[in-house]
Amino acid sequence: MPLRRRSPQHPATPGRRHARSLGETGFTLLELLVVIVIIGLLAGYVGPKYFAQIGKSEIKVAKVQIDAFEKALDTYRLDLGRYPTTEQGLAALNEKPVNEAKWQGPYLKKGVPPDPWGQPYQYRSPGEKGEFDLFSFGKDGQVGGEGENADITNWN
């Protein structure tokens, strides 16, 4: 039985002609489209889960900041015998209010930051829910809401 001689251009595929010559390599349009579709499906699946986690982390940051403000406000109360008034606000934790000789602050290492959505925290003293109310309106910046738009408070 005589051996078939392999084609010099394509030694692995005897007798077949290919559109590509030996020096050409690359991907076909169909291969590229399949890869793009797979990447799109993965992004469609992973993207929403990723962005949902970002919203949850912003809520956690707001809760942690409110907790830190509560501790600073309690220290302020120990020094002065009362919480700052609504008019003095959270600024009284870093700047000595007028006519407050017992003030031993600053009670925060840095200034009062805005909430994770860039809005100022709301402070009332005396509060409606406790000795003081401290809260953020959430992502939507309005009273009430659900999920990421829910208010984050010191009384819940």
Side-chain angles (χ1 to χ4, degrees):
M1 170 187 248
L3 293 175
R4 277 179 96 176
R5 190 160 186 205
R6 294 186 177 174
S7 168
Q9 286 106 4
H10 301 286
T13 56
R16 253 179 116 182
R17 291 190 80 183
H18 288 281
R20 296 183 192 166
S21 65
L22 186 59
E24 293 181 34
T25 59
F27 298 105
T28 65
L29 181 59
L30 181 61
E31 291 169 331
L32 291 174
L33 289 174
V34 168
V35 170
I36 290 171
V37 167
I38 291 171
I39 291 171
L41 290 172
L42 287 173
Y45 177 74
V46 175
K49 292 181 184 281
Y50 173 75
F51 289 112
Q53 291 301 320
I54 290 174
K56 289 178 185 175
S57 66
E58 289 173 331
I59 292 169
K60 288 179 184 176
V61 167
K63 288 179 180 180
V64 168
Q65 286 180 332
I66 287 175
D67 186 54
F69 296 150
E70 284 184 302
K71 288 176 175 56
L73 286 163
D74 288 340
T75 306
Y76 180 99
R77 181 180 176 206
L78 287 173
D79 289 346
L80 279 81
R82 62 172 181 76
Y83 290 109
T85 64
T86 301
E87 291 77 28
Q88 291 171 325
L90 296 174
L93 297 174
N94 280 342
E95 301 166 10
K96 182 178 179 180
V98 179
N99 299 326
E100 296 289 357
K102 294 181 182 179
W103 191 82
Q104 300 293 315
Y107 298 95
L108 295 172
K109 290 181 181 179
K110 298 179 181 178
V112 178
D115 70 13
W117 302 279
Q119 303 298 320
Y121 283 97
Q122 306 299 309
Y123 173 78
R124 287 190 297 236
S125 178
E128 296 173 7
K129 308 286 185 181
E131 293 183 77
F132 64 88
D133 293 346
L134 181 56
F135 56 98
S136 164
F137 288 127
K139 185 176 182 177
D140 65 355
Q142 299 179 13
V143 176
E146 295 181 13
E148 291 179 17
N149 295 329
D151 298 346
I152 296 109
T153 66
N154 69 320
W155 60 84
N156 286 348

